[in-house]
Each structure stands twice: as C-alpha cells, then as structure tokens.
Amino acid sequence: MLTGKIRGQIDQVWEMFWTGGVANPISVIEQISYLLFIRRLDELQRTAERRSQATGLPLKDPTFGPDEQTLRWNNFKDKDPDVMLDIVQNKVFPKIKTLQAEGSFAEHMKDAIFMIPSAKLLDQVVQLLSAIDMNDKDTKGDLYEYLLSKLQQSGVNGQFRTPRNIIGMMVELMQPKPGDTICDPSSGTCGFLMAAVEYVETHHSKEINQPVNRVRFNNDMFTGYDFDKHMLRIGAMNMLLHGIENPAVHYRDSLQDQGDDNISEAFNLILANPPFKGSVDFDIVAPDLLRALGKSPVTKKPKPTFKIELDEDGNEIQVEVKKKKPTEKSELLFLALILRMLKVGGRAAVIVPDGVLFGSTKSHKAIRQKIVEGQKLEAVISLPSGVFKPYAGVSTAILIFTKTNSGGTDNVWFYDMQADGYSLDDKRTQLCKEGETPTHKQSNISDIISRYQSLTDNGRVNPDGPEYSRKRTEQSFMVPVADIESNDFDLSLNRYKEVVYEEIQYDSPKEILTRIKALQNKMAAGVKELEGLL
C-alpha cells in the first residue's frame, strides 16, 4: 500500500508537470515510465555484475559499457539538477531509444519524446522514484496504479481505462488458470492482464513458482495488442512493475488484415473492453471478420465517376466524385475477431455497448446468431449506465461465451446489475468506507460472482442450482435458447425481464371533490378571519 506521504509526492509531481506545460496525463505517465525503465536497466546490470563476481564468469552484453557509467541511475540520481537534466536528456534518453532488444518496453521506445520541462522537476521525480523500494512488487505496482487512476479522472483520456472493480469482477468470473494463454486485443494500460496476473499469483502460487511455469508466466502467458504507441509503453511498464519480466505487449491494429499473419485460434481466454462508437473502412478490415458479420469484403476498387464543374475561369472541368467508403462498427468487428483468436474450448468475457445486444442491422443480427447458435453463450450481465462516467454515460453489458464451433447454448443467464460500489454520477464516489464490506444495495459484484459460480458444479452444468428456478421478475434469471432465437437473437435484458406493477387503489372522484371543497371552505374562512384583523 502507498503511504499518504508518497501519494502526496505523486500529486505534487503531477501538478508540477501540469504547471510546466505537460497537461496530458498520458504524457505525464509516459515520462515517469521512462525514468522507471532507466532505473530498471541499472538494477538489472547491478544484479548481473554481482552474479559475475560470485561466479567468476565475465559480464555478458552489459547495457552500460565502461565509458557509460555516468548514465546509470545510481550515478546520476544525486547530481546537481542541471547536470542531471543534461545527462538524462542528451545521453541516457537517446541511448534507451536504441535498446530494441531489451524487452517489450524498449521495443516501443523508438519514437518516444523526452518532455520533462525543467531540471527542478526532473530532480523531484528522480528523488521520488529513488525512495521507492523496487524490490517490493506490491509497492511499485501500487505506485503505477495510482498514476493510472489519474487517467480515469481526466475526462476524455479516461476512455483508455476500464474501472478496476469491473475488471476484477470479470477476472473472478473467468478464474484464469496457470495453463491458460490470456489475451486482450485492445489492451490499453493492460488492466485486464494485470488483474489476471494477480488472480493467478493469488490462487495458483505453488504451480506458478515451478521453474517451467515461471518462464512461461514471465514471457507468453499474457499477451496484449494495441495500435496506440503511448498506451503500449504504459501497458508494458504496468506489467513490468507487476512482476512480468518480459511482457508480451505488441503493436498491432487488431482489426486490420495482416494476411498470413492474422491471429487465429491462439488463446484460450480473452478479457476485453474493445473500443466502440467507431467505424472502420471495409478495405482495411480482415475479410473473414466482415464475412462473420454477413458482409462481403471489397474485392476490387470501384471505377471512379466524374462530374462537370466550372473552374475559376469559367471553363468546364471533370472532377472525381468522392464516394463514401463502406464501413462497419468496431464493436461488432472485435467480437468477430475474438471468436477467431480463441481456440476451440476457449472462453471470453467482453464488454459491449447495449446496441450490440438489440441492434437490428444485418451485422448485429449475424454476430449475435453466430455466438448463440455457433458457440456457447453463457451469460449477459447488464451494467449500470453510470459505470463509465464521467466520460461516457453509455449503457453496456458483459458477454461471457465459450468457442465451440458446434453450438451448445441451452440456457443463458441474465443479471441486472444495479450498483458497483460507486455512485453512478460524474463523481463516482465510493459508497462504503475503505476496508468495509459493501451491502448488496451498494454493490452487486459479490452477488454476481456467487450466483454465476452456482451455475456449474465442478465444471459441469448444475441444473439443480438456484438460478434455474428464479423468476424473470428477479435480479437474475435463466432464458432458454429457444426464446432468444424466437426474438431475433435479441440479448437485451429488458426483452426477457418481467416487471410486476403494484396495483394502486385511488379514491373515487366524488370523494376527492368533497375533500377539495372542504379545503376551499377552510381557505375562505381563513381569509375572512384575516380581513377581520385589518
């Protein structure tokens, strides 16, 4: 846990960045990430040097050569601030941009920009980071999480960050295991991957600490893709600080056609909150994703058409008519992508906007039908519309399904989530005090987890569980697949939830009029009494 003192120092550093002209919170986190990486390089070399001294073997491929010792963290951190700025800006930073072989974070450093505006600020950040025990994974992880929490408080930039409590709930529902290969195709800050890391370490520590499993854990058990290089650097550093030695976080436009390099049947667990409210041109999308939505890919470029216009001199000229390119919604394409990326038997928990659940276009119906009829849809959890505030009030839901390619949907579990532990306004204030267990009215998360887990018994469907006997008037209930098919594969909770209205008995109009007359008589008497006092 971070102390109040360290939190205060981070807040002070944050404000100094802002007053120094670095107002974008992503840029602030990036700059701190660069310094964390520089410190890590020094620590790795110090470990290698100690090993070399103990074994008598020569130091192999050191990051800092004999003539570069001044560039190491422990050698410049106590220098005069102006000297430190010169060393970091003009010597260390150019060097780390060339270290492409030093792991995932270094892979994304090629186009990084040093933006710390003053020697004073650099010195303050360096001293703050030097005071953190980097051997304590929890502390350095908490430090970065605190930084990332500021993304959520920063308006539009918060779109990159799914609320941590929702991420934690989804991971608890999916229960990742040491044998899983876990992916987020739109990883952002790698929040889903980090929650999966923490879950596996907590519940399967003995298995993970076996040498063979540990190598896999540190290298290719967790994979993230994103096409925003800022997010890649932040996500890779987030994983590094949480103990993943070589995070597999890669640059990739997941929806774009990569030909033979398209990823297919590679993962058995996908956790994601893909970007939505966007449209992607047909001509860059992988054709199989479009076909999954019932669309025909653009196979050839249409012939241009022209119209006649007058130029500035009044002469007739031909002008090409720009035709609007066909597009498809990103949230639908990501669902098709996730189905392709999953191995048969693989599972997914994905956040989608409500429009996916009931949209009437050909693409909406096609992807719903593909999930319900072709795979095994297990659950639809409707989230409160305020979960993503202050930057979005859109209603969303979590889809949980297993890829089978042979159907298997029999009953779908619906849950009407009404509270997540925070207020559903723009402030998103925590509803219970730190350390207290929230009531059901304050948070439905523990109830969702326990009810979902009751659906199976030792991995098998549990038809005798309580969820199968609940009525559709309750907060959760089961819907047979036949009902969903007959409703055009509509997956919106309101389509199936039944509302019981309480009958209210009103007085007769005659009785109401009698009461009105009595009130009028009282008013008239009161007015007459006032007149008598004048």
Side-chain angles (χ1 to χ4, degrees):
M1 292 289 291
L2 291 183
T3 64
K5 181 181 179 181
I6 294 177
R7 287 174 181 261
Q9 288 174 317
I10 294 172
D11 292 340
Q12 188 177 2
V13 165
W14 194 274
E15 187 172 340
M16 287 189 70
F17 269 106
W18 186 80
T19 55
V22 185
N24 187 333
I26 296 173
S27 298
V28 176
I29 296 172
E30 274 191 304
Q31 300 305 304
I32 295 175
S33 299
Y34 302 153
L35 294 174
L36 288 167
F37 181 58
I38 293 167
R39 178 176 174 180
R40 185 172 186 270
L41 290 174
D42 184 25
E43 290 176 343
L44 289 175
Q45 183 156 329
R46 288 168 68 195
T47 301
E49 288 168 345
R50 287 193 292 268
R51 187 184 303 117
S52 174
Q53 290 172 356
T55 61
L57 297 173
L59 189 63
K60 186 179 179 181
D61 299 327
T63 303
F64 302 100
D67 59 340
E68 296 177 316
Q69 296 303 298
T70 57
L71 310 189
R72 298 176 65 169
W73 180 275
N74 273 289
N75 291 336
F76 69 66
K77 69 182 180 67
D78 295 321
K79 298 280 188 185
D80 178 82
D82 290 320
V83 175
M84 187 195 304
L85 179 63
D86 177 61
I87 292 173
V88 174
Q89 185 172 22
N90 299 319
K91 297 175 184 177
V92 182
F93 202 75
K95 179 176 178 61
I96 65 174
K97 292 179 67 173
T98 66
L99 301 177
Q100 305 303 309
E102 293 285 347
S104 180
F105 185 82
E107 176 189 333
H108 309 303
M109 282 294 296
K110 190 175 180 181
D111 59 350
I113 301 172
F114 185 80
M115 297 174 62
I116 295 180
S118 69
K120 180 182 177 183
L121 176 56
L122 175 63
D123 180 61
Q124 188 167 9
V125 181
V126 167
Q127 299 316 313
L128 169 65
L129 299 182
S130 293
I132 301 292
D133 180 4
M134 288 300 170
N135 292 317
D136 185 343
K137 186 186 70 175
D138 292 335
T139 300
K140 63 188 182 184
D142 288 346
L143 169 102
Y144 212 69
E145 282 297 325
Y146 184 63
L147 286 171
L148 292 177
S149 71
K150 292 183 176 292
L151 282 181
Q152 199 164 345
Q153 302 165 8
S154 304
V156 69
N157 291 312
Q159 66 187 299
F160 295 107
R161 188 165 164 80
T162 309
R164 189 171 173 81
N165 59 333
I166 300 299
I167 290 175
M169 179 184 75
M170 291 170 67
V171 171
E172 286 279 346
L173 292 172
M174 304 311 290
Q175 297 182 337
K177 298 174 179 61
D180 286 334
T181 48
I182 303 167
C183 179
D184 182 348
S186 53
S187 55
T189 64
C190 292
F192 280 105
L193 298 180
M194 290 326 312
V197 168
E198 292 170 357
Y199 183 93
V200 172
E201 285 189 319
T202 300
H203 293 83
H204 304 282
S205 59
K206 187 177 290 186
E207 294 166 82
I208 285 298
N209 286 323
Q210 294 174 3
V212 174
N213 289 338
R214 196 74 204 181
V215 170
R216 184 171 164 273
F217 182 82
N218 281 321
N219 289 276
D220 54 15
M221 183 175 175
F222 308 93
T223 302
Y225 297 109
D226 210 294
F227 59 80
D228 185 318
K229 292 183 179 179
H230 301 287
M231 287 295 106
L232 287 167
R233 287 191 282 266
I234 291 172
M237 179 55 65
N238 194 14
M239 294 187 75
L240 274 172
L241 294 178
H242 281 83
I244 303 299
E245 293 178 4
N246 185 31
V249 181
H250 305 296
Y251 176 84
R252 188 181 191 90
D253 185 343
S254 295
L255 299 178
Q256 190 168 345
D257 185 20
Q258 311 283 343
D260 292 339
D261 292 329
N262 283 337
I263 299 172
S264 179
E265 298 199 356
F267 306 99
N268 54 18
L269 177 56
I270 290 181
L271 298 155
N273 178 16
F276 43 85
K277 295 294 183 185
S279 297
V280 187
D281 291 343
F282 270 31
D283 53 3
I284 67 168
V285 175
D288 64 308
L289 301 185
L290 291 170
R291 284 192 285 268
L293 302 181
K295 297 293 182 72
S296 298
V298 177
T299 55
K300 60 180 180 179
K301 194 173 181 180
K303 291 183 179 180
T305 57
F306 299 90
K307 63 180 179 179
I308 303 299
E309 289 186 358
L310 299 178
D311 63 13
E312 293 178 356
D313 300 322
N315 300 315
E316 291 186 350
I317 56 172
Q318 279 190 335
V319 178
E320 184 178 350
V321 177
K322 297 292 183 182
K323 294 184 178 179
K324 189 176 180 181
K325 294 181 179 180
T327 61
E328 189 51 84
K329 289 184 176 296
S330 59
E331 57 264 35
L332 302 179
L333 291 168
F334 264 102
L335 280 175
L337 172 73
I338 287 167
L339 284 174
R340 187 230 280 161
M341 294 175 76
L342 280 173
K343 296 177 181 179
V344 174
R347 303 161 298 140
V350 188
I351 297 176
V352 297
D354 271 5
V356 170
L357 307 180
F358 58 78
S360 58
T361 70
K362 180 180 179 181
S363 297
H364 284 87
K365 292 179 182 178
I367 195 62
R368 292 199 303 265
Q369 183 173 359
K370 194 173 185 69
I371 292 173
V372 172
E373 283 191 342
Q375 320 303 328
K376 180 176 174 58
L377 177 62
E378 295 163 20
V380 179
I381 301 170
S382 176
L383 300 178
S385 60
V387 162
F388 290 97
K389 284 187 174 181
Y391 47 86
V394 63
S395 295
T396 55
I398 300 169
L399 295 182
I400 298 177
F401 54 87
T402 299
K403 179 176 177 177
T404 64
N405 284 345
S406 58
T409 304
D410 44 15
N411 289 283
V412 179
W413 184 68
F414 284 79
Y415 190 102
D416 183 11
M417 185 180 186
Q418 297 169 358
D420 74 329
Y422 294 82
S423 64
L424 298 174
D425 55 16
D426 287 353
K427 293 181 179 179
R428 292 290 282 155
T429 306
Q430 189 168 336
L431 297 179
C432 69
K433 294 179 181 178
E434 201 70 41
E436 290 184 357
T437 302
T439 63
H440 178 72
K441 187 175 181 180
Q442 293 170 331
S443 175
N444 300 160
I445 288 178
S446 62
D447 187 52
I448 290 171
I449 294 169
S450 63
R451 291 196 191 194
Y452 178 77
Q453 291 175 349
S454 75
L455 298 175
T456 56
D457 184 11
N458 291 323
R460 296 183 178 182
V461 174
N462 180 23
D464 297 324
E467 294 306 300
Y468 285 84
S469 59
R470 292 190 189 277
K471 297 178 181 179
R472 294 192 187 182
T473 55
E474 298 186 56
Q475 195 165 10
S476 66
F477 50 85
M478 305 296 289
V479 176
V481 67
D483 286 11
I484 294 172
E485 290 172 340
S486 65
N487 278 294
D488 225 359
F489 300 96
D490 192 317
L491 296 176
S492 56
L493 180 138
N494 289 334
R495 169 70 69 174
Y496 307 103
K497 188 175 178 67
E498 296 175 0
V499 179
V500 177
Y501 296 98
E502 183 180 349
E503 185 178 356
I504 300 175
Q505 294 288 341
Y506 294 100
D507 293 337
S508 67
K510 188 174 181 180
E511 291 175 341
I512 294 171
L513 283 172
T514 300
R515 288 202 299 271
I516 291 173
K517 287 180 179 179
L519 287 171
Q520 286 178 329
N521 291 335
K522 282 184 179 180
M523 289 173 62
V527 170
K528 189 171 183 180
E529 185 178 347
L530 287 172
E531 286 177 340
L533 296 173
L534 295 176

